[in-house]
Amino acid sequence: KVLSIKKVLKRLNRSIKYVILLDADSVLEASKNTLTNLCKKLEKNNLGAASFKIMVKNRKSILGKLFHIESYTRDFWNSFVSKSHKLRCVPGGGSIFKREVLEKALDSHSGEYYGEDLETTATVMENKHKIGYFSQIVSRTIMPSNTLGALKQRIRWEAGAMRVYIRKRNFYIKNI
C-alpha cells in the first residue's frame, strides 16, 4: 500500500496540496463543500493530517453490531484525545493529509504492510506535525463478516502495532 501511495503522489500534479486516503472497502460520505472547508481547517489549525470518523457499513449481523459499538467508542476516544493534536492512528480507511507531510512521512517508511497506517501516523507526529480528528466526515467501511475473518484482522493489526512500537520505540518513549 505504501509503495502504491508513493507512486500516485509522484504522478499527481504538484498543485494538489491535500491527499485523501480511503481503503478499497471504504466509502466517503462528504460533499465537495465539506471537503473544501476541511482543507481550510487543516490550514487554520496548522494540522499535517486528520482522521475521519470510521463507521461500519455492514452492521446488520451481531458481529457488525459489535464493530459498530467499537466505532462509537473509537469516535469518543478520538474526539477526546485529538484535543492534544495527536492520535494513535490516522487510518488509511478515511483520512486526509497535507501532501508534503505525507510525502515526507512515506520517505522514511519501512514499507511494511502490517501497521503501515500506525507507522505513518507516528512518523508524522515525530516530524512535529499536529494531527486532527474530523468526526463530521464519515468513512463507512466493510468489516469482516465472520469471527475467523475478524480474528485474522485483529491479529494482523496487533502484530503490525507491535512492529511499529518496536521500530518507533524512541518516539513513543519520549511522547508517553
Side-chain angles (χ1 to χ4, degrees):
K1 179 175 160 181
V2 172
L3 295 175
S4 297
I5 295 170
K6 283 181 174 184
K7 284 181 183 179
V8 169
L9 289 171
K10 284 183 181 180
R11 292 182 178 168
L12 281 180
N13 186 307
R14 292 304 310 168
S15 66
I16 295 172
K17 293 173 56 175
Y18 308 98
V19 177
I20 292 175
L21 297 181
L22 288 174
D23 287 341
D25 58 359
S26 300
V27 177
L28 188 63
E29 295 178 357
S31 67
K32 183 178 177 181
N33 189 41
T34 301
L35 293 173
T36 300
N37 289 335
L38 170 64
C39 293
K40 290 176 185 174
K41 269 188 175 179
L42 282 174
E43 292 300 329
K44 180 183 173 194
N45 296 310
N46 196 28
L47 300 174
S51 172
F52 302 149
K53 183 178 189 173
I54 308 293
M55 299 302 291
V56 179
K57 190 173 185 180
N58 55 326
R59 58 180 186 225
K60 290 184 180 179
S61 69
I62 290 179
L63 192 57
K65 287 177 179 25
L66 289 173
F67 285 134
H68 187 64
I69 292 167
E70 179 187 49
S71 296
Y72 273 101
T73 304
R74 185 177 46 251
D75 175 52
F76 172 79
W77 181 251
N78 284 347
S79 295
F80 176 73
V81 172
S82 67
K83 292 178 186 349
S84 68
H85 298 292
K86 296 178 181 181
L87 285 180
R88 177 180 180 263
C89 186
V90 176
S95 56
I96 186 168
F97 288 81
K98 285 184 178 174
R99 179 188 183 152
E100 74 271 4
V101 170
L102 180 59
E103 286 175 329
K104 185 175 179 186
L106 295 182
D107 281 344
S108 63
H109 200 286
S110 69
E112 270 199 41
Y113 169 70
Y114 292 127
E116 73 272 6
D117 297 336
L118 188 63
E119 182 178 346
T120 302
T121 304
T123 304
V124 167
M125 290 188 292
E126 196 173 38
N127 291 340
K128 308 293 185 213
H129 295 287
K130 295 193 264 182
I131 306 275
Y133 180 64
F134 296 117
S135 61
Q136 68 274 22
I137 298 181
V138 175
S139 174
R140 294 217 182 264
T141 192
I142 297 171
M143 297 300 283
S145 58
N146 60 55
T147 308
L148 182 59
L151 183 61
K152 285 180 179 180
Q153 177 193 59
R154 298 314 163 105
I155 289 170
R156 196 174 59 245
W157 285 359
E158 293 313 314
M162 293 311 295
R163 288 177 175 158
V164 173
Y165 294 149
I166 291 166
R167 190 177 308 110
K168 296 284 189 179
R169 63 187 167 273
N170 291 334
F171 165 74
Y172 286 111
I173 289 168
K174 290 178 189 174
N175 290 284
I176 290 181

